Amino acid sequence: MRGVPWWGVVSSAVAPVLLVGGWTVAAGLQPGSFNAVVSTISSLAARGAADRWVMTLALAGVGACYAVTGLALRPAAFPGRLILLAGGCATVLVAVNPEPAGGGGSLPHAFWAAIGFTALAAWPLAAMKRRPSAPAGLRPTVAASAAGMLLGLLVWFGVELIAGGLQVGLAERVLAGAQAAWPLAVVLACCRSQSRAQKQHATAAEPGIKD
């Protein structure tokens, strides 16, 4: 089984740290009190927001990390890797197309955000492997459960957004955080599986070496 290169491990670990760190720092730079439960992540990078470059760079960096992880996740099925990479590119385009000052929405921003969130929720299902030796994160039951959870969070966020709910910011942060954490979980599972396979191979080869 092909392993995940070191740079894929780094990119998968950096993504959730960069995302949470970005929205935390950006929220702290806003004048007055910023309500993260009500206000979206995009509002921190919107035109007119204080120090909007912080969240803009964080979103672009997170998107780049997703794309790199998609390239590095060699044990996963190719369609899943491609969808993860596409989700990363869409996230970068979300950063490139900020919301206008004062709200009102932006069609390019909304379009790329929808593509990104959907891709990042669906990729686990397309990445699964049916082999018995597949890493835990890529097995059908685990992958389907992860995709179901992420799609459920996406529905929650969509309902809050469309209905103008008072927890839209919270729903988006839970969704985005879970989507950032899952690639890391899969990468760690692949590394653990690869390490176990190498130990088994070494143990099986020991008698031959002694002879």
Side-chain angles (χ1 to χ4, degrees):
M1 182 183 68
R2 294 181 298 174
V4 179
W6 66 267
W7 44 271
V9 179
V10 172
S11 66
S12 65
V14 168
V17 174
L18 190 58
L19 180 63
V20 176
W23 77 46
T24 301
V25 172
L29 293 172
Q30 302 309 303
S33 58
F34 180 83
N35 192 335
V37 175
V38 176
S39 301
T40 65
I41 299 170
S42 295
S43 66
L44 295 169
R47 293 187 176 91
D51 295 296
R52 58 177 294 268
W53 61 270
V54 174
M55 197 66 239
T56 299
L57 288 180
L59 284 172
V62 170
C65 285
Y66 289 150
V68 171
T69 303
L71 292 173
L73 200 53
R74 297 167 182 169
F78 181 73
R81 296 173 61 194
L82 189 62
I83 293 172
L84 177 57
L85 192 152
C89 293
T91 303
V92 173
L93 289 169
V94 167
V96 172
N97 294 276
E99 291 185 335
S106 162
L107 184 58
H109 180 89
F111 174 79
W112 291 118
I115 294 295
F117 278 133
T118 302
L120 293 171
W123 82 269
L125 203 58
M128 68 180 183
K129 286 289 189 74
R130 298 186 181 276
R131 295 197 309 264
S133 60
L138 297 175
R139 292 172 187 168
T141 301
V142 177
S145 298
M149 178 196 69
L150 294 174
L151 288 171
L153 292 174
L154 179 58
V155 169
W156 176 32
F157 172 56
V159 170
E160 289 285 337
L161 191 64
I162 294 171
L166 297 179
Q167 293 185 326
V168 62
L170 175 62
E172 184 183 31
R173 282 164 176 78
V174 174
L175 170 62
Q179 289 183 334
W182 186 246
L184 174 59
V186 174
V187 166
L188 292 178
C190 290
C191 291
R192 196 158 47 241
S193 180
Q194 182 70 13
S195 177
R196 189 183 305 115
Q198 289 174 345
K199 288 179 180 178
Q200 290 174 348
H201 179 74
T203 301
E206 281 180 3
I209 294 175
K210 291 178 181 179
D211 292 340

